[in-house]
Amino acid sequence: MLLGSIEAGGTKFVCAVGDGDFRIKTQTVIPTTTPAETLAATIAFFKQFDLDAIGIASFGPIEIRQHAKDYGYITKTPKPGWSQTDFVGPIKQALGCPVAWTTDVNGSAYGEYVMAGLTNAQLNSLVYYTIGTGVGAGTVINGQFLGSLGHPEMGHVPVKRHPDDRDFAGICPFHHDCLEGLVAGPTFDARVGRPGRDVPLNDPVWDIMSYYVAQAAVQTTLTIRPDKIIFGGGVVSEGFLQKVRRDFDMLLNDYVSVPSLEDYLTMPLMANNGSATLGDFALAAKELNRQ
Amino acid sequence: MLLGSIEAGGTKFVCAVGDGDFRIKTQTVIPTTTPAETLAATIAFFKQFDLDAIGIASFGPIEIRQHAKDYGYITKTPKPGWSQTDFVGPIKQALGCPVAWTTDVNGSAYGEYVMAGLTNAQLNSLVYYTIGTGVGAGTVINGQFLGSLGHPEMGHVPVKRHPDDRDFAGICPFHHDCLEGLVAGPTFDARVGRPGRDVPLNDPVWDIMSYYVAQAAVQTTLTIRPDKIIFGGGVVSEGFLQKVRRDFDMLLNDYVSVPSLEDYLTMPLMANNGSATLGDFALAAKELNRQ
């Protein structure tokens, strides 16, 4: 069996081919330019193989409701040139195999769910946040994604202000001081004039960041009661998560029981967003079995 | 077929017997005093009938994980005398029939889900908030409740402050200014010195209230993407919901598409919390079929 994976991001498409055991056999990276150019290069790569199914985890927003007219499209994205781009249609037509279609964060969430299933049979649900250029999250519950009207946009929830951060306007063009507007990577440039990678963890701005990320984890905990919450993306490190756990503990105030925070609020099991490729393979195999 | 329903609240137990079409045949109200007294009266009422199954929707927090040692218990509740009370055990032993067990808000959510299914086949998921003495919510997705580690406690999520409400401390003993701490019924006494029923809708305090409830709806929308969000409880009226819709629209800023707000953010289909009894009957029937 041969499975394909497209991790479609705003700067690059990571394309991979794997076998039925989800092992990567070959992989390539295609820069995200125009839809026509990028999709043509993607198709040319996969045309070399006789795929049985392919999984796509895409930047968005995207249309995931199967009955919608524009199912399989990237919809009204801020990424120039990509609004209303049919993604699934051309791939399906060119490759002639079943296509699984979901968001980038759902793909990563699913990969972590598969990995966790191999190591911990008790894990039935998880939430995967990515905190990088943008903020988003995907939720898997018993193998299903959360989202009935469409995919979640958990990066844009309101949060309460840190007392030392009242004057920061936030950078979200839609909501100003939503979670993404307060903790996405570019907030470092906006708050302290340099990128986050140049800001040491003992700088107080990291305590402001952790206060908001902890609130997101509290909201998720009280709303979904998942078995685990995973944080990936460029902003996240184990040192930062230690601050998040501290603030989470203070904010939740032991109101509901959760596992030990070292097990509950974690980095991804797979480094370098490897969970996305694994998730895509697993979703492709699932789609194949469904058809 | 005879089905039982216990809507177990902090001040009263509403007990009902219905048939296989979920019609109420008889109903009684038992005051919530001590566990021994209240459970004995409840059992005595239902002993008159030969029930096939019973559904219980209880105040909490409660243990709903089937594998837990204290499954079926009310756990560490603030209600005096009721902490660590085995509820399902005595009922099951006395009545000898299958028992469905969930939270009060889940019971109401399920009743609204059943009702909606009878009137709108497109509705696959909903969230039911109650805003009264306390604040809580239940979520049904394709007939299943959300909550893996335990039941949600969506009343205690953090929200951002209304600019005109910065000096109010909030009344939640656990989190001070969480959603419940800012919008539960008793906040009216704390903010304006009289109960909410005596405060006209044009009082600015209602705009403060709606700002927070709208944030809860935004969080839920972006996290769960449900088909509908329903608001019940003593604080809610259609006039109040109009303010909530206005603030929701402003806060969401059209970021994801939702149905028309008159259809999306609504009062319960069933008045006087009738959804709880219907939900209990339906959950009882489901439990019977499962066994």
Side-chain angles (χ1 to χ4, degrees):
Chain A
M1 183 154 79
L2 280 185
L3 301 168
S5 162
I6 306 175
E7 186 198 330
T11 55
K12 63 182 192 286
F13 277 29
V14 179
C15 300
V17 174
D19 64 18
D21 299 322
F22 306 152
R23 288 177 201 215
I24 296 173
K25 297 178 75 79
T26 184
Q27 196 163 17
T28 194
V29 173
I30 294 164
T32 310
T33 57
T34 64
E37 195 173 64
T38 309
L39 289 178
T42 301
I43 287 168
F45 169 73
F46 285 112
K47 274 277 200 185
Q48 305 172 77
F49 311 95
D50 185 22
L51 295 187
D52 293 283
I54 188 166
I56 308 174
S58 177
F59 71 99
I62 66 175
E63 181 53 81
I64 58 167
R65 293 171 300 172
Q66 303 249 3
H67 64 273
K69 265 190 309 195
D70 52 352
Y71 171 79
Y73 280 57
I74 294 175
T75 56
K76 47 163 194 175
T77 178
K79 173 98 186 148
W82 283 81
S83 275
Q84 295 306 320
T85 295
D86 184 5
F87 196 145
V88 170
I91 297 288
K92 194 164 208 154
Q93 188 173 26
L95 304 180
C97 68
V99 179
W101 168 246
T102 194
T103 63
D104 42 13
V105 279
N106 273 356
S108 299
Y110 204 80
E112 288 289 316
Y113 177 78
V114 170
M115 271 301 283
L118 300 174
T119 59
N120 177 357
Q122 296 301 309
L123 199 139
N124 300 315
S125 60
L126 63 79
V127 177
Y128 180 100
Y129 279 91
T130 185
I131 305 175
T133 312
V135 178
T139 301
V140 185
I141 301 174
N142 295 322
Q144 304 294 315
F145 294 121
L146 203 55
S148 181
L149 273 185
H151 57 79
E153 287 285 355
M154 294 166 70
H156 295 267
V157 292
V159 287
K160 69 174 169 178
R161 279 304 181 100
H162 189 287
D164 299 337
D165 193 44
R166 289 210 204 281
D167 297 332
F168 181 58
I171 63 165
C172 173
F174 299 96
H175 314 104
H176 309 294
D177 63 349
C178 64
L179 179 67
E180 178 171 301
L182 293 171
V183 307
T187 58
F188 281 99
D189 304 81
R191 275 202 190 91
V192 294
R194 56 193 199 279
R197 63 174 174 275
D198 296 338
V199 180
L201 267 176
N202 59 6
D203 189 297
V205 73
W206 282 107
D207 297 304
I208 289 172
M209 296 283 288
S210 67
Y211 183 72
Y212 297 128
V213 174
Q215 284 185 62
V218 167
Q219 287 181 10
T220 296
T221 296
L222 296 175
T223 302
I224 301 175
R225 300 298 305 273
D227 289 332
K228 191 187 270 280
I229 305 176
I230 299 166
F231 297 91
V235 168
V236 180
S237 64
E238 183 56 35
F240 175 60
L241 274 195
Q242 286 174 18
K243 293 175 185 288
V244 172
R245 292 186 193 111
R246 174 201 63 197
D247 292 348
F248 177 90
D249 196 45
M250 181 262 295
L251 287 162
L252 187 66
N253 196 16
D254 211 19
Y255 193 69
V256 297
S257 66
V258 292
S260 85
L261 296 192
E262 284 67 30
D263 295 329
Y264 184 58
L265 306 177
T266 71
M267 302 272 289
L269 289 171
M270 302 188 75
N272 302 318
N273 203 20
S275 30
T277 303
L278 172 60
D280 289 348
F281 287 156
L283 289 166
K286 194 175 177 182
E287 184 66 21
L288 185 60
N289 289 330
R290 208 176 62 80
Q291 294 195 340
Chain B
M1 183 154 78
L2 279 186
L3 301 168
S5 161
I6 307 175
E7 186 198 330
T11 55
K12 63 182 193 285
F13 277 31
V14 179
C15 301
V17 175
D19 63 18
D21 300 320
F22 305 153
R23 287 177 202 215
I24 295 173
K25 297 177 75 80
T26 182
Q27 196 164 17
T28 193
V29 172
I30 294 163
T32 311
T33 57
T34 65
E37 195 173 66
T38 308
L39 289 178
T42 300
I43 287 168
F45 169 73
F46 285 111
K47 275 277 200 185
Q48 306 171 78
F49 312 95
D50 186 22
L51 295 186
D52 292 283
I54 187 166
I56 308 174
S58 177
F59 71 99
I62 66 175
E63 182 54 81
I64 58 167
R65 292 171 301 171
Q66 302 249 3
H67 64 273
K69 265 191 309 195
D70 52 353
Y71 172 77
Y73 279 58
I74 293 174
T75 57
K76 48 162 192 174
T77 179
K79 173 100 186 148
W82 284 80
S83 275
Q84 295 306 321
T85 295
D86 184 4
F87 196 145
V88 171
I91 296 288
K92 193 164 208 154
Q93 189 173 27
L95 305 180
C97 68
V99 179
W101 168 246
T102 195
T103 62
D104 43 12
V105 279
N106 273 356
S108 299
Y110 204 79
E112 289 288 317
Y113 177 78
V114 170
M115 270 302 282
L118 300 174
T119 58
N120 176 357
Q122 296 302 309
L123 198 139
N124 299 316
S125 61
L126 63 80
V127 178
Y128 180 100
Y129 280 91
T130 184
I131 305 175
T133 313
V135 178
T139 301
V140 185
I141 302 174
N142 294 322
Q144 304 295 314
F145 293 121
L146 202 55
S148 181
L149 274 185
H151 57 79
E153 287 284 357
M154 293 166 71
H156 295 268
V157 293
V159 287
K160 69 174 170 179
R161 279 305 181 99
H162 189 287
D164 300 337
D165 193 42
R166 289 209 204 283
D167 297 333
F168 181 58
I171 63 166
C172 173
F174 299 96
H175 314 104
H176 310 293
D177 63 349
C178 64
L179 179 67
E180 178 171 302
L182 294 171
V183 306
T187 58
F188 280 99
D189 305 81
R191 276 202 190 91
V192 294
R194 56 194 199 279
R197 64 173 174 277
D198 296 339
V199 180
L201 266 176
N202 59 6
D203 189 298
V205 73
W206 282 107
D207 296 305
I208 290 171
M209 297 284 287
S210 66
Y211 184 72
Y212 297 128
V213 173
Q215 284 185 61
V218 167
Q219 287 181 9
T220 296
T221 296
L222 295 175
T223 302
I224 301 174
R225 300 297 305 273
D227 289 332
K228 192 187 268 279
I229 305 176
I230 299 165
F231 297 91
V235 168
V236 179
S237 64
E238 183 56 35
F240 176 60
L241 274 195
Q242 287 174 16
K243 293 175 186 286
V244 172
R245 292 186 194 112
R246 174 200 63 196
D247 293 348
F248 177 90
D249 197 44
M250 181 263 296
L251 287 163
L252 188 65
N253 195 17
D254 211 17
Y255 193 68
V256 297
S257 66
V258 292
S260 85
L261 295 191
E262 283 66 29
D263 295 330
Y264 183 58
L265 307 177
T266 70
M267 302 271 290
L269 289 171
M270 303 189 74
N272 301 318
N273 203 19
S275 30
T277 303
L278 172 60
D280 289 349
F281 287 156
L283 288 166
K286 193 174 178 183
E287 184 66 21
L288 186 60
N289 289 330
R290 207 176 64 80
Q291 294 196 342

